[in-house]
Amino acid sequence: MTEARVTDFYADKNDCVVGVRIRCPDRSIEHVGCETLVLATCGFGGNNEMITTLIPEMSDARYFCHEGNRGDGILWGKALGGAVGDMSAYQGLGTLAVPHQIVVPHPLLIEGGFLVNIEERRFAHELSNISGMCVPVLAQAQGLAWVVSDECLNRDSLEHSVDQRKLEEVGAIRRGNSWAALERVCNLPLGSLRRENDEIGAARAGNYADRFGRRHEGPAALKSPFCAVRVTGAIFHTQGGLLIDGNAQVIRDDRSPLPNLYAGGGVARSISGKRVTGYLPGASDFAWPSPSEP
Ligand SMILES: Cc1cc2nc3c(=O)[nH]c(=O)nc-3n(C[C@H](O)[C@H](O)[C@H](O)COP(=O)(O)OP(=O)(O)OC[C@H]3O[C@@H](n4cnc5c(N)ncnc54)[C@H](O)[C@@H]3O)c2cc1C
């Protein structure tokens, strides 16, 4: 049953769900009756058509979550008259290692690392928005960037992060004893890394914000050996979805509940608002009960 897929649902004339149609792994079809249906099918990140229509900025981005999340529950709820909200919202990430598909731990940036594009120029305040960083990264040439850090930061991160250990194991971390050596192993143009690092150093020493508004007074300066991981922007999961009331019951536009349809987790609208920048880490499947007035 864990590999079975619900392909359809059945409802009576009062919009009361009476059962679902299931396709089993051996391709047999089963029909299961129900008194109540709880939707737990998450969002529509795995449905390219919906992403292209509702979140066009991510239509060419990698989707880094469960491929089975194709928006089925949202579409069924809508078919029964359920209301949806904030369908353009999603959690993104600007630092998914490519081609390794491993998340680069954010502390590498918080503790002093920085991002450059393949022309070796910084292009954003790296810490301005962890979810929204996917947009500026994807806007760079080839949709690529490099997370630049040093051996000390990587070692610290190894102690805490499974992802960091995986990056090490698969050889995603490139190293150089000088900026020029790192540029060579990353096939980057020579000279710019030192310039970007010097500019950060000057902002740190002068206690002023750099040209992107980032202040560097906390983290220490990077020290040789230097490290870099190639990354791209990705979509993790969508944040919009069915509107529910305080009982997790799916509601219509006029706020009346559907008789026996419930929704939780990523299939229900979360608290991100309408944009990628509204995502709150740790609150991704937090469903937001709507007020009773439309
Ligand atoms: C890389 C990554 C990192 C994350 N980190 C965090 C974090 O640090 N903190 C946090 O709070 N959240 C995090 N999240 C988000 C969190 O994982 C999701 O919000 C949560 O898993 C959603 O739970 P869910 O039960 O709604 O959906 P899911 O866990 O996605 O489960 C939905 C399931 O439904 C199945 N399904 C869909 N349609 C059908 C169908 N028609 N028939 C049968 N099965 C179907 C899918 O195959 C899937 O198995 C992260 C997500 C990603 C991708």
Side-chain angles (χ1 to χ4, degrees):
M1 286 304 283
T2 55
E3 295 294 326
R5 185 163 189 87
V6 180
T7 56
D8 222 334
F9 72 98
Y10 303 97
D12 66 18
K13 59 182 181 351
N14 299 317
D15 296 330
C16 193
V17 181
V18 295
V20 293
R21 179 181 187 269
I22 295 175
R23 194 182 62 234
C24 299
D26 64 2
R27 292 174 182 260
S28 62
I29 300 294
E30 285 186 27
H31 295 91
V32 180
C34 65
E35 291 178 4
T36 294
L37 188 67
V38 181
L39 297 172
T41 49
C42 205
F44 55 91
N47 182 328
N48 195 250
E49 207 179 309
M50 285 179 81
I51 291 289
T52 303
T53 310
L54 296 162
I55 312 178
E57 70 200 31
M58 285 289 115
S59 54
D60 293 327
R62 278 160 208 253
Y63 170 55
F64 191 62
C65 193
H66 202 292
E67 284 176 24
N69 294 342
R70 297 178 204 152
D72 293 346
I74 296 176
L75 296 173
W76 300 330
K78 273 182 78 175
L80 280 176
V84 294
D86 297 336
M87 295 294 278
S88 51
Y90 62 99
Q91 180 193 1
L93 186 88
T95 51
L96 183 69
V98 273
H100 319 87
Q101 304 262 48
I102 299 168
V103 176
V104 176
H106 204 53
L108 287 182
L109 292 173
I110 296 173
E111 299 299 331
F114 58 91
L115 279 169
V116 293
N117 58 24
I118 60 170
E119 285 129 19
E120 255 197 4
R121 301 296 296 169
R122 281 181 70 214
F123 52 89
H125 180 331
E126 291 83 353
L127 311 180
S128 59
N129 188 284
I130 182 170
S131 169
M133 192 49 65
C134 59
V135 177
V137 168
L138 285 170
Q140 303 309 302
Q142 297 177 32
L144 293 174
W146 290 84
V147 175
V148 180
S149 62
D150 66 11
E151 192 62 53
C152 197
L153 280 177
N154 276 265
R155 220 180 15 248
D156 287 352
S157 190
L158 270 178
E159 280 181 31
H160 309 293
S161 166
V162 175
D163 284 331
Q164 182 72 16
R165 287 197 283 276
K166 284 194 213 156
L167 287 168
E168 188 70 87
E169 275 165 28
V170 301
I173 304 168
R174 309 208 190 169
R175 291 180 165 84
N177 285 327
S178 64
W179 289 120
L182 186 66
E183 283 163 337
R184 270 194 298 277
V185 294
C186 297
N187 281 330
L188 288 167
L190 290 181
S192 304
L193 279 184
R194 173 181 294 281
R195 202 162 51 238
E196 290 291 7
N197 187 59
D198 287 351
E199 208 175 297
I200 289 172
R204 182 185 292 108
N207 196 19
Y208 58 82
D210 65 25
R211 67 187 194 274
F212 300 105
R214 178 174 171 188
R215 302 192 77 90
H216 300 269
E217 67 265 32
L222 299 182
K223 290 191 190 67
S224 165
F226 303 112
C227 303
V229 178
R230 188 172 54 187
V231 294
T232 190
I235 176 167
F236 274 12
H237 50 100
T238 53
Q239 289 283 285
L242 292 166
L243 267 51
I244 56 168
D245 64 14
N247 295 321
Q249 209 159 347
V250 177
I251 57 174
R252 304 180 178 92
D253 281 330
D254 65 4
R255 299 310 197 246
S256 63
L258 286 165
N260 67 345
L261 186 66
Y262 293 74
V267 74
R269 175 181 54 167
S270 190
I271 57 172
S272 292
K274 295 197 182 310
R275 302 184 51 212
V276 60
T277 46
Y279 172 74
L280 285 177
S284 41
D285 53 5
F286 186 88
W288 178 23
S290 297
S292 49
E293 294 297 314

